Amino acid sequence: LFRHPKLHRTRELGTYKAPLLLIHESVLVDRLAPRAALALGADVAFDERFSGASFADVTNGEQIARYLQVILQSSAFTHAMLMLDGQLGVEREVVHLDTINSAPVVPWKELSQGHKRRATALSQALHRNPTLELLGEIDGFVAEVYGLNEAHRDAIGDTLATMLPMAASKERSVQPT
């Protein structure tokens, strides 16, 4: 609970209104590490280490925040970050907010009702227990929403297996085919 009587350099109060999608200033590329958090039931104050998007005044705000959380957790998102961020994979293992903001997102209004329900269900499952199996389901969902075929998915998987800045990926990249 927030108990400070005063704040220095406050932001607009609406910035902290739930539902919120919260992203750490440095998003890790680790597959099982959460890339975004949700604050759905209560307003949350956060410091400069986080960026928050309030969906309080947005129709279907909670569902849209959940949808974006699922997108952020996908391999397709990691692949986009690898292609868009000038430092990821070269000297850093984190993604910057400017890069996240530049990522393409299929608008909520263009999703089918089935996709909307599935995004919410995947977000809820991610909150309960993030597993590699669930991440596979998320990847399948995102591929479906973005219209990615099997060749696209294979290219994403191969790229992530060999181009990420982690030691295992670097080792795989120099192995004979």
Side-chain angles (χ1 to χ4, degrees):
L1 298 175
F2 188 80
R3 293 192 166 91
H4 298 286
K6 292 183 183 180
L7 289 174
H8 178 65
R9 295 183 1 193
T10 60
R11 300 178 193 172
E12 287 292 320
L13 196 56
T15 303
Y16 307 108
K17 293 212 173 287
L20 285 165
L21 178 69
L22 297 168
I23 302 171
H24 197 276
E25 69 181 343
S26 298
V27 177
L28 297 174
V29 293
D30 177 9
R31 192 74 176 107
L32 285 170
R35 297 188 184 148
L38 296 173
L40 303 175
D43 300 345
V44 175
F46 51 90
D47 64 21
E48 70 276 355
R49 291 175 294 155
F50 291 89
S51 291
S54 172
F55 292 86
D57 297 327
V58 176
T59 303
N60 300 311
E62 179 179 329
Q63 291 81 10
I64 294 171
R66 286 183 177 281
Y67 167 60
L68 292 173
Q69 178 195 32
V70 169
I71 296 289
L72 288 166
Q73 200 67 40
S74 72
S75 290
F77 170 78
T78 305
H79 183 265
M81 296 303 94
L82 191 59
M83 298 296 115
L84 294 170
D85 195 287
Q87 295 177 325
L88 177 64
V90 177
E91 72 174 69
R92 299 199 190 274
E93 293 187 25
V94 296
V95 177
H96 296 99
L97 185 61
D98 289 343
T99 306
I100 293 169
N101 288 335
S102 69
V105 175
V106 175
W108 177 255
K109 65 183 178 184
E110 294 180 16
L111 297 181
S112 69
Q113 288 303 316
H115 282 143
K116 290 176 180 180
R117 284 191 298 275
R118 194 160 165 219
T120 298
L122 288 169
S123 171
Q124 291 168 338
L126 192 57
H127 175 74
R128 286 190 302 273
N129 186 25
T131 63
L132 290 176
E133 181 181 330
L134 175 60
L135 295 177
E137 289 180 45
I138 287 172
D139 287 347
F141 167 75
V142 171
E144 196 176 298
V145 167
Y146 280 78
L148 303 178
N149 62 31
E150 202 60 40
H152 295 133
R153 292 182 71 182
D154 286 347
I156 288 170
D158 291 347
T159 301
L160 296 181
T162 59
M163 299 302 293
L164 290 174
M166 283 102 77
S169 182
K170 290 176 184 180
E171 287 173 19
R172 274 193 297 275
S173 70
V174 296
Q175 296 296 318
T177 57

